[in-house]
Amino acid sequence: MIVASIDPTSQPFAVGEVIGTMAAAATAVAALWWLTRSWRTQSTPPGSDPAHALREKRRRTWFIAGVTVFIAAAASVRAAASYDPEPRAIEARAADGTEESLVIVLPEIFDRFRLLTGEEVKRAEAEMLAGRELPHSMRTGYYDQDADGSSDLFVLVNSADWDPRVAENKASKSTARELRGFFTAAKARDVAPFDAGKHGGGLSCGLVAGPDDDQALCAWSDAANLVGVRLIHETDLADAARTTLALRDAATR
């Protein structure tokens, strides 16, 4: 079975809503004129005043014309109200409305987390990926929270700065659709949106199944990046969102 993917926040969807509304109005107008054709063009009874009969025909025609104008006006108002697409991801702006470059440089330290290096990365990667290979366009980072040398937070960065496919997605999809696709692919549940902070865009978190228990998974999307953050020992989504936002603020240049 083929299932169509429809983004209700997209501009094409909004245009389709407008076209659908106006097409329904046009159909209603055509049906109105067709169904009233006999009434509008009634023949003049023998012995009646031709001038009076002509005035009656015109009155009936003008009445139907008035109904037509009312239908068209109502449809136009409804179509204008329904056209409210979410901007494409590439059009996302900072919270103050300004445009940023949004280059991601993972910090060595943020909040209570330290970026793993050297052999620590190899151990964390072997544990996290378990032999799976990520696309070469994705960049990763592993952070230790409790100074034991193991990964407590895993970052996966996709950026239009180096991946043309990300740029193509951001030119056609909204941030909401990007995030939905990310969490659907990760089989996350209980996904909820959170404040995206000063850099704007969108930020959401949900829960995914880990080897032993649930783990929090967050992601943010802006005009250039889609970044996933997996918190190994966290299940409180609000706390996970705060940690993700702290990383985003520290990593965004």
Side-chain angles (χ1 to χ4, degrees), residues 14 23 165 247:
R165 291 172 299 180
L247 173 59

Side-chain angles (χ1 to χ4, degrees), residues 2-224:
I2 299 175
V3 179
S5 176
I6 300 175
D7 179 12
T9 67
S10 68
Q11 291 178 337
F13 182 88
V15 171
E17 289 282 282
V18 171
I19 293 174
T21 298
M22 298 309 295
T27 300
V29 168
L32 174 68
W33 284 84
W34 173 261
L35 295 174
T36 62
R37 66 191 186 282
S38 297
W39 177 67
R40 287 183 288 104
T41 60
Q42 288 180 4
S43 60
T44 303
S48 62
D49 182 2
H52 176 73
L54 180 60
R55 286 196 298 271
E56 286 299 307
K57 285 184 179 181
R58 288 176 177 173
R59 183 183 62 81
R60 291 190 290 268
T61 299
W62 279 111
F63 175 78
I64 297 302
V67 175
T68 298
V69 171
F70 175 79
I71 292 174
S76 298
V77 170
R78 181 174 179 180
S82 68
Y83 186 76
D84 187 26
E86 181 174 303
R88 296 171 298 166
I90 198 172
E91 299 169 344
R93 294 291 182 268
D96 61 2
T98 59
E99 187 175 353
E100 301 178 288
S101 63
L102 299 170
V103 175
I104 300 299
V105 179
L106 294 180
E108 293 183 5
I109 296 175
F110 82 95
D111 195 15
R112 59 192 184 279
F113 292 88
R114 176 183 65 88
L115 183 65
L116 297 180
T117 58
E119 292 298 322
E120 294 175 326
V121 173
K122 294 180 180 180
R123 289 196 301 270
E125 191 172 67
E127 181 179 346
M128 179 63 65
L129 301 182
R132 299 188 302 272
E133 291 188 5
L134 295 173
H136 294 299
S137 60
M138 294 183 180
R139 299 182 182 179
T140 59
Y142 301 87
Y143 283 88
D144 177 20
Q145 178 181 3
D146 46 18
D148 64 355
S150 62
S151 176
D152 298 305
L153 184 151
F154 171 52
V155 187
L156 185 63
V157 182
N158 298 272
S159 179
D161 286 344
W162 59 75
D163 190 343
R165 291 172 299 180
V166 175
E168 291 173 3
N169 281 335
K170 290 189 173 293
S172 60
K173 298 179 181 178
S174 65
T175 57
R177 186 176 182 185
E178 275 197 314
L179 291 172
R180 279 200 303 272
F182 176 86
F183 286 105
T184 298
K187 299 180 180 179
R189 67 182 191 280
D190 301 332
V191 178
F194 291 90
D195 181 11
K198 63 183 180 181
H199 297 296
L203 188 156
S204 296
C205 296
L207 294 174
V208 293
D212 302 314
D213 203 350
D214 286 341
Q215 299 174 353
L217 177 68
C218 296
W220 78 77
S221 172
D222 54 44

